[in-house]
Amino acid sequence: QVQLVESGGGLVQAGGSLRLSCAASGRTFSMYAMAWFRQAPGKEREFVAHITWTGGATYYTDSVKGRFTISGDNAKNTVYLQMNSLKPEDTAVYYCAASRFWRQVLNMERSYDYWGQGTQVTVSS
């Protein structure tokens, strides 16, 4: 089992920045990739970014490219999401997710085995 705990959410003005953290504990040596998803009020949860645990390959959804950066610290079993130039449409609950095994597709919810409880990000205009 892997436990994921997110932190770093909050209220920020448009154009501001936040850094989310996701600390993993448990059988972290078996993880293949980690990702961030988000869910805005009244909308389905959507993919934001992922990173492979070995190699550090990253991928972003188009709406955050150039503004968000996902990174990982293997020694701390922690993945980060640096969010810059935030927009009101980035307002959502942000979830961290982890995949135990290799997956051909990493931008879908079904590719992930473990989920955090979520952290709220609110961007005011």
Side-chain angles (χ1 to χ4, degrees):
Q1 291 291 328
V2 174
Q3 294 77 41
L4 304 175
V5 178
E6 302 102 331
S7 61
L11 174 64
V12 64
Q13 289 187 334
S17 299
L18 281 175
R19 187 195 196 202
L20 305 183
S21 299
C22 174
S25 60
R27 296 175 64 88
T28 56
F29 62 86
S30 65
M31 290 191 300
Y32 169 67
M34 295 186 72
W36 289 95
F37 287 75
R38 66 186 181 186
Q39 187 168 20
K43 295 186 177 181
E44 294 185 350
R45 188 155 56 183
E46 65 172 356
F47 168 80
V48 176
H50 73 66
I51 184 168
T52 56
W53 213 234
T54 302
T58 60
Y59 183 78
Y60 301 89
T61 193
D62 286 346
S63 63
V64 308
K65 285 180 180 177
R67 301 189 297 123
F68 291 11
T69 302
I70 188 170
S71 61
D73 185 332
N74 287 17
K76 296 182 179 180
N77 292 321
T78 300
V79 66
Y80 304 97
L81 186 68
Q82 178 66 44
M83 305 185 295
N84 298 328
S85 302
L86 282 162
K87 304 175 181 180
E89 50 263 44
D90 294 318
T91 295
V93 177
Y94 283 70
Y95 296 91
C96 175
S99 173
R100 290 184 298 173
F101 306 115
W102 178 89
R103 305 276 195 237
Q104 185 173 9
V105 177
L106 287 172
N107 61 348
M108 300 179 69
E109 290 186 54
R110 66 186 185 194
S111 297
Y112 295 88
D113 306 291
Y114 305 105
W115 292 84
Q117 81 289 351
T119 185
Q120 177 70 47
V121 171
T122 303
V123 184
S124 63
S125 57

